[in-house]
Amino acid sequence: MHRTHTCGELTISDLGKAVILSGWVQKSRDLGGMTFIDVRDRYGVTQLTFDSADDETLRSKAKELGREYVIKVRGMVIERESKNPKISTGEIEIKVTDLEILNPSALPPFTIADDTDGGEDLRMKYRYLDLRRNPIRNNLILRHKLAQETRKYLDGQHFLEIETPVLIKSTPEGARDFVVPSRMNPGEFYALPQSPQTFKQLLMVSGFDRYFQIVKCFRDEDLRADRQPEFTQIDCEMAFVEQEDILNLFEGLMKHLFKAIKDVDLGEVPRMPYTEAIRLYGSDKPDIRFGMQFIELNNLLQGVGFPVFDNAELIVGIKAEGCASYTRKQLDALTDFVKRPQIGASGLVYLRCNEDGTLKSSVDKFYSPEQLELWAQAFNAKRGDLLLVMAGEADKVRKQLSELRLEVASQLGLRDKNIFAPLWVMDFPLLEWDNESGRYHAMHHPFTSPKTEDIPLLSSNPGKVRANAYDLVINGTEIGGGSIRIHDRELQSLMFKHLGFSLEEAQKQFGFLLEAFTYGAPPHGGIAFGFDRLVAIFAGLDSIRDVIAFPKNNSGRDVMIDSPSPIAVEQLVELGIKTS
C-alpha cells in the first residue's frame, strides 16, 4: 500500500492513527536534533518530523532528501506544537517511523511554489512541473468543476451529450482550417473542425432536439492571450425554439455556474443592440462594470477652425471622473498609448474641469471659454473631471477610443475581477463587407438566419440586414455566441448566393445540408461558449494558457514536446505529399 491517506486530509481528529503517506518533498528544515519535511500531493501538504533521539539513521536519511523527491512514509499522527492555520493539516504532523525513497529528483529548473521564479517560457517547457504548483492545479480543478456543473445543468434541461466527428470537410468560410492528409484517399484532405456547426444542425434534423458537447475545436489563426490553435467550447443546439427560449435557458446556465462555483448571484442579464454597443462603447463586447459611455461632439466642436475636428467624420469622447488632476506626464502617456501601432490614433485632445471651476483644454486657442463650457455640459462634467476626445474616421476612432476607455478604467481600478457584469449583445449585422475579396462575408457563419423583417433587404441593401444572432459578454470578454439558424433550403440557398457562392460551389460544399433540409428540418438555434475563456473569467485571469493543462505558446508551438515538428520522408511519401 502506497498510502492510507492523502497529504491534505488528516486533522486533529486523527491523532494517534498509524498512517502511510506518499508524495513529493516540498521543502525540508533541519533544526538541531529535529528535521522537518513538508510532503505534498494534489490534495495538500503535511509536515513530517524526524527526531534523532528516536532514530538517528532515519533522520540522516531524511536529511538527504532533495526537493521533489518522491517518498513514502509510515508514522503516527501527533499534535503539532507550532500550528499553521493557513493549511488544512496545520494542526497535526506525522512522527515518521519509516521512510522509503520511491524516486529521487533532479534539481527542478524553477521553484515549484505559488510564487515561482520561473518565467513563462521555462514553465511551458517543463509544464509537467508547473502543473504541480497550487495556482495551476487549482485552475484545472476549477475547470473540472465548471465542466461537471455544466453537464449537470444541461442534463437537467434534457440535453443529450453527443460526440461529433473530428475529421471533417474543409470549408471556405471562417478562419483557416487545420488540414489532415488522407493516406487512403491520395491527394485529398480532412479538416479539423472549427466548430461542430453543421453536425449539430443535422442532429436537429434527426430529431435530437437538445444536444450539447464539451468539444475540442481548431483554428489556424494568429494567437494572443485568449486564443489557442486548439480550444474547447460548450457547444449547444435546440430545436423548436425561438431566440427568447435560447437566451433564457443559457442565461440560466450562467446563473447556475456562478452560484454553484463562486456563490455569486448573477441577477438578470441586460440586453443591448449591436448598434447601441458600438455607439456607446465602440465595441461589440463592451465592459459595463463602469460607465464612460461615448459622447458624440460633431455638432458642438466642428466649424471653428480646428482642422483635426473640422475634417473628422466623427468626434467622440469619454469622461474620466476625478481625473482632472492628471499631470502633463500622465496625459502624455495616454497620448502615447493611443498612438501605439496596435491602436493607430494620431493624437488625443483633453479638457480639464479644474476644482476651482476653470476649464483648461489642449486646444484653448481654437475655443472660447463659453465654447469650452458647452463642451463640459455635453458630458455633464463636474469639477475634477477630465474629458478625453478623439477624432477621425468613424469606425477607426470608435475602436481607438474603446481601447483608451479600457486603459483609463484599468488605471482607475474600475475593472475589478471580483465583479461580474454580463451582457447580451443582440441583432448583429448578418453580413460584413470585405474590401480585399470585394464581397460580403457572414459575420457569424453562413447558417445564421436573418431577421424575418429584413429578408427583403438581402437583395436591395444586404449590409443593413440584421441577424438573429446574439453574443454573451462578461466583463468585456466575449464568452459565447449563437443564432437562430436557417432551416429552409430556399433561404439557405439565397444566403449562399449573397455570400458569393455559385450553385455548383454551394452544392459541393454544403449539398448534404441542403438535402437534409428537404426532409423536414425543424426551426432550430443554438449557442457555443468558449470554455477556456469562461474558466479564465472564473479564475480571474487574462490569459487562457493557465487554465489549459498543456497549452501552446504565441507561435502555436508546444515547447515541451517540440511540436509541430518535421515527419519522416517515408511518411510523406505514404501520404502522397512528397515523392522519393
Side-chain angles (χ1 to χ4, degrees), residues 33 54 65 80 86 125 145 151 208 229-230 241 245 280 336 344 435 450 457 484 551:
D54 296 328
L65 297 175
R80 185 168 169 172
K86 294 181 180 179
K125 180 175 175 62
K145 289 179 179 178
R151 288 187 168 97
F208 293 94
E230 54 179 305
V241 290
D245 301 310
L280 294 179
D336 291 341
N435 287 322
L457 294 174
I484 297 298

Side-chain angles (χ1 to χ4, degrees), residues 346-489:
S346 57
L348 178 65
V349 173
Y350 66 83
L351 172 63
R352 282 196 184 101
C353 302
N354 295 317
E355 293 289 356
D356 62 5
T358 61
L359 300 174
K360 177 66 178 175
S361 84
S362 54
V363 288
D364 276 350
K365 67 179 181 179
F366 294 100
Y367 293 91
S368 67
E370 292 75 21
Q371 288 171 318
L372 294 180
E373 182 62 38
L374 292 174
W375 183 347
Q377 288 175 12
F379 286 88
N380 195 24
K382 61 183 183 300
R383 295 183 180 189
D385 290 345
L386 175 68
L387 311 183
L388 299 170
V389 176
M390 301 176 71
E393 184 181 329
D395 289 344
K396 288 182 179 180
V397 79
R398 284 194 177 101
K399 292 177 182 176
Q400 292 160 355
L401 187 61
S402 176
E403 293 294 333
L404 178 63
R405 174 180 178 268
L406 296 177
E407 173 65 16
V408 172
S410 295
Q411 291 183 11
L412 296 176
L414 300 177
R415 304 182 73 188
D416 187 341
K417 292 179 180 178
N418 295 309
I419 295 174
F420 302 98
L423 172 72
W424 286 111
V425 179
M426 321 277 293
D427 300 344
F428 284 80
L430 181 71
L431 306 168
E432 56 184 346
W433 181 259
D434 180 61
N435 287 322
E436 190 173 322
S437 61
R439 67 181 181 90
Y440 281 104
H441 289 264
M443 181 169 272
H444 283 77
H445 54 63
F447 317 108
T448 298
S449 174
K451 291 277 188 182
T452 304
E453 60 270 30
D454 288 357
I455 290 176
L457 294 174
L458 276 171
S459 298
S460 59
N461 195 351
K464 291 293 184 182
V465 178
R466 294 168 299 159
N468 235 327
Y470 34 83
D471 280 358
L472 181 66
V473 176
I474 300 179
N475 295 358
T477 297
E478 179 196 333
I479 294 298
S483 66
I484 297 298
R485 323 301 188 190
I486 297 170
H487 67 280
D488 174 78
R489 179 188 174 112

Side-chain angles (χ1 to χ4, degrees), residues 32-200:
M34 298 284 290
T35 296
F36 296 93
I37 302 288
D38 286 349
V39 62
R40 178 196 73 239
D41 60 14
R42 82 170 173 93
Y43 303 96
V45 175
T46 300
Q47 180 170 282
L48 313 176
T49 66
F50 300 81
D51 190 338
S52 60
D54 296 328
D55 191 332
E56 179 60 41
T57 302
L58 183 63
R59 181 168 176 261
S60 296
K61 189 176 181 180
K63 291 168 69 175
E64 296 172 1
L65 297 175
R67 284 179 177 266
E68 302 308 312
Y69 273 47
V70 186
I71 63 172
K72 170 184 171 181
V73 298
R74 295 175 184 270
M76 187 75 68
V77 181
I78 63 174
E79 188 169 0
R80 185 168 169 172
E81 288 186 13
S82 179
K83 294 180 171 56
N84 181 357
K86 294 181 180 179
I87 59 174
S88 61
T89 61
E91 292 186 291
I92 61 93
E93 59 191 9
I94 308 302
K95 187 173 183 180
V96 177
T97 56
D98 183 65
L99 166 64
E100 180 182 350
I101 298 175
L102 299 176
N103 218 332
S105 172
L107 182 67
F110 56 87
T111 304
I112 298 174
D114 290 4
D115 296 318
T116 183
D117 55 2
E120 185 174 55
D121 290 343
L122 188 62
R123 292 190 295 112
M124 292 274 279
K125 180 175 175 62
Y126 296 95
R127 185 64 168 180
Y128 48 86
L129 297 179
D130 199 30
L131 288 169
R132 294 181 188 175
R133 297 193 307 116
N134 285 327
I136 308 299
R137 182 173 65 246
N138 290 340
N139 289 342
L140 294 185
I141 293 171
L142 172 64
R143 185 184 180 101
H144 163 78
K145 289 179 179 178
L146 274 167
Q148 295 306 103
E149 291 296 336
T150 297
R151 288 187 168 97
K152 182 191 298 184
Y153 177 86
L154 293 175
D155 179 66
Q157 298 291 330
H158 310 296
F159 281 75
L160 296 177
E161 187 168 9
I162 302 174
E163 295 173 275
T164 52
V166 174
L167 296 174
I168 65 168
K169 185 175 187 175
S170 181
T171 58
E173 291 291 318
R176 295 183 187 89
D177 289 324
F178 282 102
V179 295
V180 180
S182 171
R183 178 186 59 81
M184 293 181 289
N185 301 275
E188 297 185 318
F189 296 81
Y190 301 105
L192 301 181
Q194 297 183 34
S195 158
Q197 182 61 45
T198 54
F199 289 101
K200 65 181 180 180

Side-chain angles (χ1 to χ4, degrees), residues 189-375:
F189 296 81
Y190 301 105
L192 301 181
Q194 297 183 34
S195 158
Q197 182 61 45
T198 54
F199 289 101
K200 65 181 180 180
Q201 290 191 245
L202 291 171
L203 285 170
M204 298 304 102
V205 177
S206 303
F208 293 94
D209 64 335
R210 293 195 170 195
Y211 141 93
F212 88 98
Q213 187 179 187
I214 299 180
V215 58
K216 278 281 189 182
C217 300
F218 307 85
R219 290 180 187 171
D220 187 6
E221 58 187 357
D222 294 337
L223 305 184
R224 58 191 187 203
D226 63 348
R227 199 179 270 173
Q228 285 273 300
E230 54 179 305
F231 58 96
T232 305
Q233 61 185 41
I234 305 169
D235 197 61
C236 308
E237 198 80 2
M238 304 169 68
F240 302 110
V241 290
E242 296 177 346
Q243 180 174 281
E244 194 67 23
D245 301 310
I246 294 173
L247 297 183
N248 289 335
L249 192 143
F250 289 101
E251 188 172 311
L253 170 62
M254 288 300 112
K255 290 178 181 178
H256 172 78
L257 293 179
F258 273 92
K259 185 64 178 176
I261 303 298
K262 298 189 76 70
D263 196 26
V264 169
D265 292 310
L266 209 55
E268 294 303 311
V269 180
R271 301 178 183 184
M272 182 180 295
Y274 167 87
T275 52
E276 186 176 340
I278 297 298
R279 181 177 62 85
L280 294 179
Y281 301 100
S283 171
D284 60 3
K285 46 181 183 295
D287 188 341
I288 60 169
R289 283 174 291 182
F290 56 96
M292 288 195 212
Q293 292 184 351
F294 289 10
I295 301 294
E296 297 182 8
L297 301 161
N298 288 51
N299 292 340
L300 189 62
L301 299 182
Q302 283 186 322
V304 298
F306 180 42
V308 172
F309 284 175
D310 288 348
N311 299 327
E313 182 181 0
L314 177 66
I315 309 167
V316 64
I318 56 173
K319 176 176 68 177
E321 294 185 0
C323 293
S325 59
Y326 266 31
T327 65
R328 181 58 184 266
K329 183 178 180 181
Q330 287 174 296
L331 291 169
D332 286 346
L334 289 179
T335 303
D336 291 341
F337 174 82
V338 299
K339 284 183 174 181
R340 294 188 310 165
Q342 306 96 303
I343 299 177
S346 57
L348 178 65
V349 173
Y350 66 83
L351 172 63
R352 282 196 184 101
C353 302
N354 295 317
E355 293 289 356
D356 62 5
T358 61
L359 300 174
K360 177 66 178 175
S361 84
S362 54
V363 288
D364 276 350
K365 67 179 181 179
F366 294 100
Y367 293 91
S368 67
E370 292 75 21
Q371 288 171 318
L372 294 180
E373 182 62 38
L374 292 174
W375 183 347

